[in-house]
């Protein structure tokens, strides 16, 4: 690329000046690698309507993705019964201490009710159902 017999310095180099006024300047000698960066784009103005449309479309895609994943897991996989049992859990009883699964019942036995008490000190086997504190 460069002529070996040339009197100028080899490689990419040039000089440029930065003028402060008519009488003063700073002369720079630049050498080294040249990086050419080309940036293209389209500028636009912010609008609330496209933002709401894009957010709504994103949320809709997320909900569709969960439905598709549920269909695949519950109908197409080999262990679909295990996933179905874990996803759909039938809870019975006034205090929801007994959990009904397809094969039978799991949960607390009749004598274990005294171990589960609420924050007020009442036994969990009381006749009323208490919500979160």
């Amino acid at each position: 690329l460069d002529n070996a017999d040339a009197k100028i310095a080899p490689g990419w180099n040039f000089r440029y000046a930065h003028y402060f006024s008519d009488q003063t300047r700073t002369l720079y000698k630049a050498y080294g690698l040249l990086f050419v960066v080309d940036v293209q784009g389209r500028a636009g103005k912010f609008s609330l309507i496209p933002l709401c449309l894009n957010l709504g479309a994103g949320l809709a895609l997320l909900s569709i993705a969960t439905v598709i994943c549920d269909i695949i897991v519950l109908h197409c996989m080999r262990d679909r019964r295990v996933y179905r049992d874990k996803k759909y859990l039938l809870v019975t009883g006034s205090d929801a201490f007994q959990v009904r699964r397809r094969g039978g019942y799991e949960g607390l036995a009749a004598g274990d009710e005294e171990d589960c008490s609420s924050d007020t000190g009442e036994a969990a086997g009381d006749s009323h159902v208490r919500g979160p504190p």
Side-chain angles (χ1 to χ4, degrees), residues 103-118:
Y105 286 92
E106 294 178 4
L108 295 176
D112 292 341
E113 291 178 352
E114 295 162 3
D115 295 332
C116 299
S117 55
S118 63

Side-chain angles (χ1 to χ4, degrees), residues 61-128:
L61 286 174
L62 282 174
S63 65
I64 289 173
T66 58
V67 169
I68 290 172
C69 288
D70 280 345
I71 289 171
I72 291 171
V73 167
L74 295 174
H75 298 288
C76 299
M77 294 188 67
R78 289 182 185 168
D79 294 333
R80 58 183 168 253
R81 290 186 183 181
V82 174
Y83 295 118
R84 189 173 294 134
D85 287 342
K86 295 293 182 185
K87 183 174 173 77
Y88 301 111
L89 187 66
L90 219 74
V91 179
T92 60
S94 62
D95 289 353
F97 285 119
Q98 228 175 16
V99 177
R100 181 178 179 264
R101 297 194 184 271
R102 288 182 183 210
Y105 286 92
E106 294 178 4
L108 295 176
D112 292 341
E113 291 178 352
E114 295 162 3
D115 295 332
C116 299
S117 55
S118 63
D119 292 337
T120 59
E122 298 171 352
D126 289 343
S127 61
H128 63 280

Side-chain angles (χ1 to χ4, degrees), residues 27-55:
L27 186 62
Y28 295 98
K29 180 179 180 183
Y31 57 91
L33 298 176
L34 173 66
F35 292 100
V36 178
V37 179
D38 185 20
V39 178
Q40 296 180 357
R42 238 174 62 186
K45 187 169 85 167
F46 176 76
S47 180
L48 188 64
I49 294 172
L51 175 70
C52 292
L53 287 174
N54 286 333
L55 285 175

Side-chain angles (χ1 to χ4, degrees), residues 3 5-11 13:
N3 185 359
D5 298 329
K7 294 183 180 182
I8 61 170
N13 59 66

Side-chain angles (χ1 to χ4, degrees), residues 16-28:
Y16 67 97
H18 183 256
Y19 293 94
F20 295 104
S21 66
D22 291 339
Q23 300 292 324
T24 59
R25 72 175 182 175
T26 301
L27 186 62
Y28 295 98

